[in-house]
Amino acid sequence: TGWTGFQNYHPDGKGGYLTLFREIDNEETEKGIQLKFIKDQQLLIEDLMTGTKETVEVDAGGYVQFKMPDPASFKFLKYEVL
C-alpha cells in the first residue's frame, strides 16, 4: 500500500492539477511525490477543498513533499509555477 495520484499538466507550463490518494493501510503521513515536467522550481499549491494555499519547493528530481495525516484520504490540488 502507498500513495498514488494523477497530474494534469497544462502545456503552457504554468500550472495544472493534482489528485493524490493515501491508501487505507499506509502509515506514511508525509510522502515525496515526483511530478512530471517541473524541476528546481517553486509552486503555489491551492487545496481546492479547503482553499488553503502554500508555496512549496520542487527539487532537482521533480519531487515535492505532501502531507496527509489520515489513511484513506485524498487531496485535490491546483498548482501554479512561480
Side-chain angles (χ1 to χ4, degrees), residues 8-79:
N8 298 306
Y9 176 80
H10 195 281
D12 71 5
K14 296 181 182 174
Y17 295 89
L18 300 169
T19 305
L20 302 177
F21 302 93
R22 179 179 164 195
E23 295 182 20
I24 194 166
D25 294 323
N26 184 272
E27 297 181 6
E28 297 174 286
T29 59
E30 186 172 334
K31 181 78 172 174
I33 303 291
Q34 187 177 30
L35 303 181
K36 301 290 185 189
F37 317 113
I38 304 169
K39 295 180 180 179
D40 288 322
Q41 297 185 54
Q42 286 189 327
L43 300 179
L44 177 63
I45 302 274
E46 179 181 0
D47 186 319
L48 295 175
M49 296 177 65
T50 66
T52 60
K53 296 180 182 181
E54 68 175 318
T55 301
V56 299
E57 298 286 333
V58 183
D59 72 14
Y63 284 88
V64 178
Q65 292 294 317
F66 292 96
K67 295 179 184 178
M68 279 192 266
D70 300 317
S73 56
F74 71 96
K75 289 188 177 276
F76 186 49
L77 308 168
K78 178 180 179 180
Y79 68 89

